[in-house]
């Protein structure tokens, strides 16, 4: 069964949410997981694509947008509509979309990031309730400022 982790940030900004997403993506990839970042839309996916090159001066996290030539050969893919191909061996998803994609259960792990922005709180509360109602194990991780 898919394991769900909610990372709860004290900050209110989208910038803080995306910065944490980059750090979490690096951690997940370092643990050997293939990861898919599911963005809200194309603009967010492209913003994450740029940030993954620059979020730390000493970091390099190979990644690619779904549909690009490199998508099959990197540990991290980014998309906003479709899931990665079923044969891509992706084990984890970081969901930055306000809703849960219907194909979430194909992953071993799903991470959700909540910041203290009202729209995100409302959307992710619904996600939490949906996962729990369906019987998925949900674990909260309360993070401190700057963390």
């Amino acid at each position: 069964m898919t394991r769900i982790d909610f990372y709860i940030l004290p900050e209110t900004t989208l910038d803080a949410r995306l910065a944490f997403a980059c750090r979490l993506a690096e951690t997940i990839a370092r643990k050997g997981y293939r990861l898919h970042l599911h963005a809200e839309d194309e603009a967010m996916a492209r913003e994450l694509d740029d940030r993954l090159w620059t979020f730390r001066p000493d970091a390099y996290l190979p990644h690619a947008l779904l549909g690009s030539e490199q998508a099959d050969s990197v540990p991290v893919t980014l998309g906003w509509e479709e899931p990665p191909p079923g044969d891509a061996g992706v084990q984890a998803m970081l969901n930055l979309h306000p809703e849960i994609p219907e194909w979430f259960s194909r992953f071993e792990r799903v991470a959700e990031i909540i910041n203290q922005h009202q729209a995100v709180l409302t959307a992710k509360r619904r996600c939490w309730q949906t996962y729990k109602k369906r019987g998925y194990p949900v674990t909260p991780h309360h993070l401190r400022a700057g963390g």
Side-chain angles (χ1 to χ4, degrees):
M1 177 172 273
T2 302
R3 180 178 157 189
I4 315 295
D5 292 284
F6 276 80
Y7 294 87
I8 304 162
L9 308 178
E11 294 89 2
T12 59
T13 65
L14 176 62
D15 184 63
R17 192 167 180 236
L18 296 181
F20 181 75
C22 290
R23 294 192 310 273
L24 184 59
E26 181 184 43
T27 299
I28 292 168
R30 257 199 217 139
K31 290 182 177 183
Y33 286 93
R34 290 207 65 210
L35 172 69
H36 178 68
L37 277 86
H38 183 60
E40 183 170 354
D41 53 27
E42 183 177 1
M44 180 185 276
R46 293 193 182 280
E47 171 75 16
L48 282 164
D49 183 31
D50 289 342
R51 284 175 176 256
L52 285 170
W53 291 108
T54 60
F55 75 99
R56 277 193 318 121
D58 60 339
Y60 172 68
L61 183 56
H63 65 280
L65 291 168
L66 279 183
S68 69
E69 291 179 20
Q70 300 83 16
D72 291 338
S73 62
V74 294
V76 177
T77 57
L78 301 130
W80 59 93
E81 292 176 333
E82 300 298 318
D87 62 353
V90 178
Q91 303 131 312
M93 177 181 68
L94 200 162
N95 185 29
L96 292 164
H97 195 283
E99 298 173 11
I100 302 168
E102 60 188 48
W103 35 265
F104 81 94
S105 63
R106 71 193 295 192
F107 302 101
E108 294 172 28
R109 306 278 301 264
V110 172
E112 300 270 3
I113 300 174
I114 302 174
N115 62 344
Q116 302 305 306
H117 184 277
Q118 193 56 50
V120 173
L121 286 168
T122 300
K124 292 304 168 182
R125 246 183 230 122
R126 280 193 308 267
C127 291
W128 177 288
Q129 291 166 351
T130 299
Y131 289 128
K132 292 294 278 182
K133 190 183 307 179
R134 293 183 183 177
Y136 287 90
V138 177
T139 305
H141 305 276
H142 295 272
L143 303 169
R144 295 188 170 128

